[in-house]
Amino acid sequence: MIDQQTTISKQDSAKEIFQSQKKTALDWRLSTFKERIARIKLIRDWVKENKVDIQNAIFEDFKKPAAETDLSEVFPITSEINHTISKLGSWMKPQKVGTPLAMIGTSGKIIYEPKGVSLIIGPWNYPFNLTIGPLISALAAGCPVIIKPSELTPHTSELIHRMISELFKPSEVMVFQGGVDMAKSLLALPFDHIFFTGSPSVGKIVMEAAAKNLTSVTLELGGKSPVIISPEADLKDAAEKLIGGKYINAAQTCVAPDYIFAHSEVKERLILEMKSAIQRMYDPNFEGIEKSKDLARIINEKNFDRLNAMLKDAIQLGAKIEFGGSVNQRDRFIEPTLLTNINHSMKIMQEEIFGPLLPILEYSELDHAISFINANPKPLALYYFGKKGQESSRVLKETSSGNAVLNDCVIHFLHPNLPFGGVNNSGIGSAHGHFGFLAFSHQKGVLSQRVGYNNVSLMRPPYTTATRELISKLIKWL
């Protein structure tokens, strides 16, 4: 009964905060460049002053090494802030548009107004980065925000709550912690925009809730991001990049390589290079990868059990372990594992892995790899290793993915001038930099017409012969 009363109290509080932020949204609609930058700088200063606290919180949730936290949770935020500060003035300026012949005498421009009160629902895999990143974009656009961090990372969520409570008034930015019930109560409110990062299945629930209020959404989802290794690829280079991109955060990354299509001419050599790369990164002294301090752990027992069942299913159906395969349930440890002899009936090929298991398939004709990718839901990312030329161009043209990277993986997330986002099953809308600013902004078209007689006057009723002839010429020539 106490828990239910607490939930009701939180729901009532959320409604009150939402209403207070509606008032703030009207004030912030007039906010200046300097005012928005000042709010964003508060976050940057706090992050720098509390970096150790961020490291400790994420370690408690993931056993994640401090250097990896700095690289994947802290640096993306400070980088996003610095980029936003340097560019926000130009982003906020009205943009003039050209005038077509039919509209001579008018002028047009696009002005960027804040959408208004926004909801950010953060994920558990990068709980700081992927929650605070959208917040920076929202503040840049001039939007007050309610944040719902993941309940699966309690230490990081509490840290986010502390940060926001120290920097902002509840009527500006507010954190509500909780599970599914809290998320449902927040989604019932008529937000002006919702930014959700998570799985496609939950993304559908968020989109359904948003539709009831005709709320716009940005959905950063996931999917099975494929890799194609051409016979011309530099295998040592590819192996280093694939292992580094796959096993950061124990492969709990939405853009991690999910499976590899290696050309039959290079598959065996690629596997040897990948084995060597794993050894160099996580067990250089041959003491056992489980002792590595540079490898994070699986977030919780539920996800550990899911991944362990996926591994067992693959083995039972004929998969061969080329490297790894060791697990330790008590420590939620799963060794970086390379698998071959893969068939499509295995669970490992039917759902996003989101863990340190990496299937390696073989192809001899590029058509086969492209056809397989196109037969499945569109992925969040696609990676191609080989020479930049006709074949890589063909892969880019004949497949669809949220983003694509040639001769590397994962690092596109850090590029401030590229849109980051999915397509269809892997997401809706884009984030980061200018694209994040646009996600939380309404692009209002403004047309100015001169007073009195103008071109449009010639086409008003009565529709005389001359008027009809003029309209016909417009259709024919303009």
Side-chain angles (χ1 to χ4, degrees):
M1 185 65 178
I2 295 176
D3 290 341
Q4 184 178 2
Q5 289 176 345
T6 302
T7 300
I8 293 172
S9 176
K10 287 182 178 179
Q11 290 174 348
D12 291 341
S13 176
K15 292 178 181 178
E16 292 174 4
I17 296 299
F18 176 82
Q19 291 301 326
S20 71
Q21 290 196 358
K22 293 288 284 185
K23 296 177 181 178
T24 300
L26 295 176
D27 295 333
W28 281 15
R29 193 176 292 175
L30 305 176
S31 57
T32 65
F33 160 78
K34 290 183 178 180
E35 289 171 333
R36 296 184 190 184
I37 289 300
R39 296 180 195 119
I40 295 170
K41 283 183 176 179
L42 291 174
I43 298 175
R44 183 179 65 180
D45 294 343
W46 195 96
V47 169
K48 290 181 176 179
E49 292 171 5
N50 295 272
K51 188 175 76 167
V52 173
D53 288 349
I54 298 170
Q55 294 170 348
N56 291 338
I58 292 174
F59 182 83
E60 289 297 320
D61 288 327
F62 284 95
K63 297 296 185 286
K64 192 170 183 174
E68 191 169 292
T69 293
D70 287 348
L71 178 64
S72 63
E73 299 273 10
V74 176
F75 170 69
I77 294 303
T78 57
S79 176
E80 181 84 8
I81 289 174
N82 292 334
H83 179 71
T84 300
I85 289 172
S86 68
K87 300 292 185 180
L88 183 56
S90 62
W91 296 346
M92 290 177 64
K93 288 181 180 178
Q95 301 296 313
K96 292 183 179 180
V97 298
T99 302
L101 287 175
M103 302 296 289
I104 285 178
T106 70
S107 62
K109 63 182 178 181
I110 300 169
I111 62 175
Y112 301 94
E113 64 180 29
K115 285 186 175 178
V117 183
S118 300
L119 172 64
I120 295 172
I121 302 178
W124 58 261
N125 60 327
Y126 291 90
F128 191 78
N129 174 3
L130 298 182
T131 302
I132 304 305
L135 174 61
I136 295 164
S137 296
L139 293 175
C143 299
V145 177
I146 288 177
I147 297 172
K148 212 297 278 182
S150 175
E151 71 276 15
L152 300 183
T153 50
H155 299 89
T156 309
S157 294
E158 181 56 36
L159 176 126
I160 291 172
H161 180 270
R162 176 165 70 88
M163 180 183 79
I164 297 303
S165 64
E166 291 176 7
L167 299 181
F168 298 100
K169 298 175 183 177
S171 59
E172 298 173 334
V173 184
M174 181 66 178
V175 173
F176 283 96
Q177 298 190 70
V180 174
D181 288 342
M182 175 51 66
K184 287 182 178 179
S185 64
L186 290 172
L187 286 169
L189 296 172
F191 284 95
D192 297 298
H193 190 70
I194 297 174
F195 193 110
F196 169 78
T197 304
S199 68
S201 59
V202 180
K204 293 175 183 178
I205 296 172
V206 172
M207 194 170 182
E208 182 179 4
K212 294 178 181 178
N213 294 304
L214 295 179
T215 297
S216 62
V217 296
T218 302
L219 303 179
E220 297 288 356
L221 307 178
K224 296 182 72 63
S225 296
V227 180
I228 296 177
I229 306 291
S230 84
E232 298 176 333
D234 182 320
L235 300 181
K236 187 175 187 300
D237 178 72
E240 290 277 348
K241 292 170 177 175
L242 285 169
I243 297 306
K246 173 68 175 180
Y247 294 111
I248 188 171
N249 203 39
Q252 297 165 116
T253 304
C254 57
V255 289
D258 193 272
Y259 62 94
I260 295 174
F261 264 118
H263 194 277
S264 55
E265 293 179 8
V266 299
K267 176 186 170 186
E268 296 304 323
R269 283 183 287 150
L270 175 70
I271 292 171
L272 289 175
E273 292 289 358
M274 293 176 74
K275 290 179 182 179
S276 297
I278 295 173
Q279 202 73 51
R280 285 194 299 273
M281 292 184 197
Y282 297 111
D283 192 19
N285 298 319
F286 294 90
E287 297 174 343
I289 292 178
E290 191 169 353
K291 294 182 180 180
S292 174
K293 296 181 180 179
D294 297 323
L295 189 67
R297 295 298 187 258
I298 306 304
I299 181 64
N300 56 28
E301 288 188 12
K302 179 180 178 181
N303 280 275
F304 174 89
D305 291 342
R306 179 185 64 82
L307 289 163
N308 195 26
M310 189 181 286
L311 176 59
K312 290 179 178 178
D313 173 77
I315 294 170
Q316 289 174 357
L317 293 176
K320 177 184 176 183
I321 296 178
E322 298 285 352
F323 188 96
S326 296
V327 300
N328 182 337
Q329 185 170 15
R330 184 184 62 184
D331 195 34
R332 303 197 307 277
F333 167 79
I334 296 180
E335 189 176 15
T337 301
L338 307 178
L339 297 161
T340 56
N341 291 351
I342 301 297
N343 66 65
H344 305 315
S345 66
M346 298 173 180
K347 291 180 181 178
I348 204 168
M349 292 305 297
Q350 295 175 358
E351 59 186 80
E352 184 177 6
I353 297 171
F354 224 69
L357 311 176
L358 185 53
I360 303 171
L361 297 87
E362 181 178 310
Y363 78 96
S364 55
E365 298 293 336
L366 186 60
D367 286 344
H368 172 65
I370 290 176
S371 295
F372 181 86
I373 292 168
N374 288 337
N376 289 279
K378 297 175 182 178
L380 186 56
L382 180 146
Y383 306 118
Y384 174 88
F385 288 83
K387 292 183 179 180
K388 297 176 184 177
Q390 185 176 358
E391 184 172 279
S392 63
S393 296
R394 187 182 164 201
V395 170
L396 294 176
K397 289 179 180 178
E398 296 185 21
T399 63
S400 179
S401 57
N403 293 94
V405 181
L406 305 180
N407 292 313
D408 213 325
C409 62
V410 176
I411 63 168
H412 62 291
F413 179 89
L414 299 173
H415 199 304
N417 294 320
L418 288 176
F420 179 85
V423 55
N424 295 128
N425 190 72
S426 56
I428 295 174
S430 299
H432 297 183
H434 189 213
F435 303 95
F437 170 81
L438 293 176
F440 288 93
S441 300
H442 168 58
Q443 300 176 55
K444 181 190 287 183
V446 178
L447 184 139
S448 296
Q449 175 68 281
R450 63 189 178 188
V451 177
Y453 191 79
N454 54 65
N455 289 352
V456 179
S457 303
L458 298 173
M459 291 173 281
R460 293 195 183 116
Y463 296 121
T464 63
T465 300
T467 302
R468 291 196 299 271
E469 288 178 356
L470 179 59
I471 294 172
S472 295
K473 290 178 179 179
L474 284 174
I475 295 171
K476 183 176 180 180
W477 299 111
L478 300 181

